[in-house]
Structure formats: C-alpha cells, structure tokens
Amino acid sequence: GENVEQHPSTLSVQEGDSAVIKCTYSDSASNYFPWYKQELGKRPQLIIDIRSNVGEKKDQRIAVTLNKTAKHFSLHITETQPEDSAVYFCAASMRSGGGADGLTFGKGTHLIIQP
Amino acid sequence: DAGVIQSPRHEVTEMGQEVTLRCKPISGHDYLFWYRQTMMRGLELLIYFNNNVPIDDSGMPEDRFSAKMPNASFSTLKIQPSEPRDSAVYFCASSRGRRGRNIQYFGAGTRLSVL
C-alpha cells in the first residue's frame, strides 16, 4: 500500500518568515495530494490540494509543488502569521475512473509561529 | 449545509463494552470514510464506502470493528468488545467523488476513551 513520509515533525519560524514542509510518497499510482490543517482539538480542514497533472498550485500565501519523478511534494507558507500555528498533514490517494479513494496521511508537522 | 455530523462527541466506556459511533455525511456526497487518529499512529483510514457499499476495509484493525452504511445519510462504526487500545479520536469524512476532486470534509470527531 501507499506510504507517506513527512518532515519535519516540528517547525518553528519567526512571524513573517516562510515555512516549508516536505512529503514523499511510495506509490507511483497516487495522483491526488491534499494538505490539511488541524488546530488543537479540531477537525482536519483542507487548505490546498494538487493533482498529478499539475506541478504547482498557489492560493494567496500558500503554495504546493509536486515532483512526480521524485515522488515528493511540498507545502510553502509565506509571510507566516500567528494563526498559521497548527499541525499540518500531507496526504496521498489514487483516484481511478473519476472516483475517490481513502487518504494515506503523513505523520504531521507541528508548525509554531514565534511572535 | 451543516457539514459532516458525528455523534457522540465524547464517549467514555469500560473495557468489554460495545461502542457505536455515528456519522451523517454531507447531503449529495457519495463517499464516506472512517479514520482513526492517535498520537502513535497518526491518522489512519479504517474503511470507506461508495454509494453505501464498503469498498476497502483493509484498515479495520480487528474483527472487533465493524461498519455499516444502511442508507446514504447514515453510517455507524461499532467496536465490540472495546479495549483500552481503541482509545482514539474517530473521524468520519465524506466527499463527492464523481466529477469532484475527492475533497474530503471531516466531521468534528468522536473522542473515545476506553477505561
């Protein structure tokens, strides 16, 4: 089955700096890669996603890049703010025939924004 | 839409008791997923349904776990008998796979404590 590795497990950055979280996946058939943000005691919420036919996607301060050859993808957050503090999860899944599939998650990155 | 609704929010039970977790997916979504979150193992997929039919239950840890989806608006995850190692947060998620991006929307979760 799919295996997703995520690094680092904890990331501390100064407010206003950029943060980068990296993930690798094992199954070359995976073609959908979402990122979820989870605040303490809350549900995971999608912040951005990318499909395998796209190399990069951006949404305001958040961007995701995908390298299919190397089987890795990254989350970039620029101009970090205190409200960005949370645990971030990368995930991978395979969508065959237009349907859905369960997500395989990385272990998470605890992002701490220092004031 | 009210989103994915899970009940109860918290469940405390004693070892050996039967536990039933409930989920109402977002109306119109044809996929429903059950995940479990622990500190040690992170977020794990247990089982998922498409149009009320179980598609992949390979993540169900043991025969003590069972899940059903009798109709498009209701699913249950049952643990019988429960054990302390089942203590975790159980999330239900739903998505519209067809013509969608497999964006999975999570419920608020059920925090299960087995004493």
Side-chain angles (χ1 to χ4, degrees):
Chain A
E2 176 65 277
N3 182 49
V4 177
E5 299 284 341
Q6 182 172 348
H7 299 280
S9 57
T10 303
L11 178 60
S12 181
V13 301
Q14 290 292 123
E15 182 179 348
D17 288 350
S18 296
V20 180
I21 302 170
K22 300 182 179 182
C23 290
T24 61
Y25 61 98
S26 61
D27 191 341
S28 57
S30 289
N31 55 16
Y32 175 68
F33 307 93
W35 287 86
Y36 282 80
K37 175 183 180 182
Q38 187 178 30
E39 297 176 349
L40 187 63
K42 301 292 180 75
R43 74 192 76 191
Q45 291 194 298
L46 179 77
I47 55 171
I48 195 167
D49 58 0
I50 192 168
R51 286 184 280 185
S52 58
N53 59 349
V54 176
E56 183 173 357
K57 184 177 178 181
K58 190 173 181 179
D59 182 5
Q60 299 184 352
R61 298 186 297 109
I62 295 173
V64 57
T65 59
L66 171 65
N67 183 325
K68 286 173 55 181
T69 303
K71 289 191 281 189
H72 67 70
F73 56 114
S74 301
L75 177 72
H76 304 252
I77 305 174
T78 59
E79 301 172 13
T80 53
Q81 301 170 2
E83 54 264 36
D84 295 331
S85 294
V87 179
Y88 292 80
F89 293 93
C90 63
S93 79
M94 189 175 69
R95 296 183 64 245
S96 56
D101 196 4
L103 296 173
T104 300
F105 284 90
K107 286 292 193 289
T109 295
H110 185 192
L111 177 62
I112 302 166
I113 308 301
Q114 303 279 4
Chain B
D1 198 317
V4 177
I5 300 173
Q6 291 186 247
S7 64
R9 290 294 313 278
H10 302 274
E11 177 78 35
V12 180
T13 191
E14 293 189 346
M15 183 174 63
Q17 295 298 306
E18 177 180 297
V19 175
T20 299
L21 312 181
R22 297 173 175 79
C23 176
K24 176 179 168 57
I26 294 172
S27 177
H29 283 191
D30 54 349
Y31 283 82
L32 184 139
F33 306 84
W34 283 99
Y35 293 91
R36 177 172 68 175
Q37 185 173 35
T38 62
M39 287 296 293
M40 289 295 294
R41 301 177 66 89
L43 269 163
E44 304 173 279
L45 175 69
L46 299 178
I47 185 171
Y48 76 93
F49 297 82
N50 177 219
N51 292 323
N52 314 335
V53 176
I55 303 300
D56 183 356
D57 66 354
S58 60
M60 296 286 263
E62 300 170 35
D63 291 345
R64 299 184 296 106
F65 286 69
S66 63
K68 294 182 179 180
M69 192 165 186
N71 57 62
S73 58
F74 183 66
S75 176
T76 60
L77 178 68
K78 186 176 294 187
I79 308 173
Q80 167 62 17
S82 58
E83 296 183 3
R85 60 194 167 119
D86 302 331
S87 296
V89 180
Y90 291 82
F91 287 103
C92 174
S94 71
S95 75
R96 183 161 48 204
R98 198 167 301 172
R99 303 189 203 95
R101 298 202 322 259
N102 190 20
I103 298 175
Q104 296 187 19
Y105 296 88
F106 283 71
T110 295
R111 182 173 296 276
L112 174 64
S113 298
V114 183
L115 306 178

